[in-house]
């Protein structure tokens, strides 16, 4: 893939002063500009919620193989989830003008298979079948850039959540099989995502610089 010559000026920088992006930053920028300003330009503290906390609790249990915080029926479901050799592997993808960082939930030793764990309610797994879910594409591109290996399997393992906070019900792991979604990381898709990301990063730079300008006027 072609590297950018021009260094972009984005709101977040890494320790070397290079602009950095993440999948969640891009997702936030696409979905909600005001939220993007709050979180990534003004650095307002991110307010977690019970849904996010529940996802973290599941991820933690899978990583540590410790299911003490779950009922035995929930544990039964979680034990069916595939766990690979390494967890929370930090990867970076250098575009030249900026760098992207992310953590792979679990990855095989030979880098051939990557899995991202997701939790959610009814029909929430459908978002991971859509073309704008690109998180695992970044991971695949990062591995290729860093190790010269492109994984052949990229999956979302979706764990259904049940319980309704509004009705005073606790969130729990639903009694159903984890849903496996194979993510397209074909050569064409990775190339498309790579160039699309450069365009998004340029849009973010314009947005950011306009925002700064509007504040000084």
């Amino acid at each position: 893939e072609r590297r950018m010559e021009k260094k972009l000026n984005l709101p977040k920088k890494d320790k070397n002063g290079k602009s950095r992006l993440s999948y969640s930053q891009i997702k936030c920028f696409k979905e909600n500009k005001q939220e993007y300003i709050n979180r990534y330009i003004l650095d307002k503290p991110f307010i977690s919620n019970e849904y996010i906390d529940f996802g973290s609790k599941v991820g933690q249990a899978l990583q540590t193989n410790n299911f003490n915080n779950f009922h035995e029926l929930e544990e039964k479901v979680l034990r069916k989830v595939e766990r690979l050799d390494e967890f929370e592997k930090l990867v970076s993808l250098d575009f030249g003008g900026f760098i992207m960082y992310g953590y792979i939930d679990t990855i095989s030793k030979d880098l051939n298979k990557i899995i991202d764990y997701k939790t959610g309610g009814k029909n929430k797994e459908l978002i991971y079948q859509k073309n704008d879910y690109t998180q695992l594409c970044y991971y695949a591109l990062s591995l290729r850039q860093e190790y010269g290996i492109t994984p052949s399997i990229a999956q979302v393992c979706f764990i259904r959540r049940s319980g309704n906070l509004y009705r005073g019900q606790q969130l729990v792991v639903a009694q159903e099989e984890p849903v496996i979604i194979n993510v397209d990381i074909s050569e064409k898709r990775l190339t498309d995502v790579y160039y699309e990301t450069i365009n998004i990063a340029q849009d973010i730079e314009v947005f950011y610089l306009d925002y700064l300008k509007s504040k000084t006027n």
Side-chain angles (χ1 to χ4, degrees):
E1 280 87 15
R2 182 176 53 83
R3 299 284 274 276
M4 299 174 70
E5 298 302 315
K6 179 180 174 290
K7 299 272 180 274
L8 294 188
N9 182 2
L10 305 176
K12 291 285 176 209
K13 310 278 192 285
D14 69 8
K15 59 181 190 302
N16 306 315
K18 191 163 186 173
S19 286
R20 70 178 166 89
L21 273 183
S22 62
Y23 172 72
S24 40
Q25 227 192 106
I26 286 175
K27 188 169 177 286
C28 183
F29 179 76
K30 282 180 172 174
E31 289 172 3
N32 187 330
K33 300 288 187 283
Q34 188 52 52
E35 176 71 5
Y36 185 83
I37 290 169
N38 291 342
R39 274 183 69 181
Y40 297 104
I41 299 179
L42 300 177
D43 275 329
K44 290 193 177 167
F46 175 63
I47 296 161
S48 189
N49 60 47
E50 293 195 41
Y51 298 104
I52 294 169
D53 293 345
F54 178 80
S56 303
K57 184 173 113 166
V58 167
Q60 190 63 28
L62 291 168
Q63 189 178 338
T64 57
N65 197 26
N66 176 343
F67 303 97
N68 289 347
N69 292 327
F70 293 91
H71 185 273
E72 60 194 52
L73 288 172
E74 295 178 284
E75 178 177 343
K76 213 168 155 182
V77 174
L78 293 175
R79 289 212 177 268
K80 293 177 180 169
V81 172
E82 186 175 6
R83 299 157 68 245
L84 303 173
D85 303 306
E86 194 183 335
F87 292 87
E88 289 290 315
K89 182 178 177 63
L90 172 65
V91 286
S92 61
L93 178 59
D94 192 345
F95 283 85
F98 62 98
I99 201 158
M100 271 193 80
Y101 289 98
Y103 290 89
I104 301 175
D105 282 347
T106 189
I107 180 170
S108 62
K109 209 183 244 96
D110 60 6
L111 312 182
N112 194 41
K113 183 172 188 174
I114 55 178
I115 300 175
D116 206 52
Y117 300 129
K118 300 288 183 195
T119 59
K122 193 171 161 46
N123 293 330
K124 277 286 188 281
E125 70 274 25
L126 302 177
I127 51 182
Y128 305 114
Q129 297 168 6
K130 292 188 178 149
N131 219 30
D132 61 359
Y133 175 67
T134 52
Q135 192 170 11
L136 292 168
C137 297
Y138 293 127
Y139 297 162
L141 284 162
S142 304
L143 291 167
R144 174 159 79 192
Q145 190 180 74
E146 202 171 333
Y147 302 98
I149 293 172
T150 312
S152 52
I153 302 165
Q155 293 176 339
V156 167
C157 176
F158 181 85
I159 298 148
R160 178 91 58 222
R161 187 186 64 210
S162 65
N164 186 324
L165 292 175
Y166 299 107
R167 297 201 190 118
Q169 299 168 351
Q170 212 182 341
L171 300 179
V172 294
V173 175
Q175 291 305 295
E176 57 178 272
E177 297 286 313
V179 182
I180 304 298
I181 298 150
N182 286 301
V183 176
D184 175 12
I185 51 166
S186 62
E187 196 51 49
K188 182 187 183 313
R189 175 109 194 270
L190 293 184
T191 304
D192 288 350
V193 167
Y194 185 89
Y195 289 111
E196 180 201 0
T197 305
I198 290 176
N199 292 334
I200 296 166
Q202 289 167 335
D203 290 346
I204 292 176
E205 180 185 52
V206 170
F207 179 80
Y208 176 51
L209 297 178
D210 283 350
Y211 176 84
L212 294 180
K213 227 180 268 158
S214 75
K215 291 297 159 208
T216 51
N217 291 347

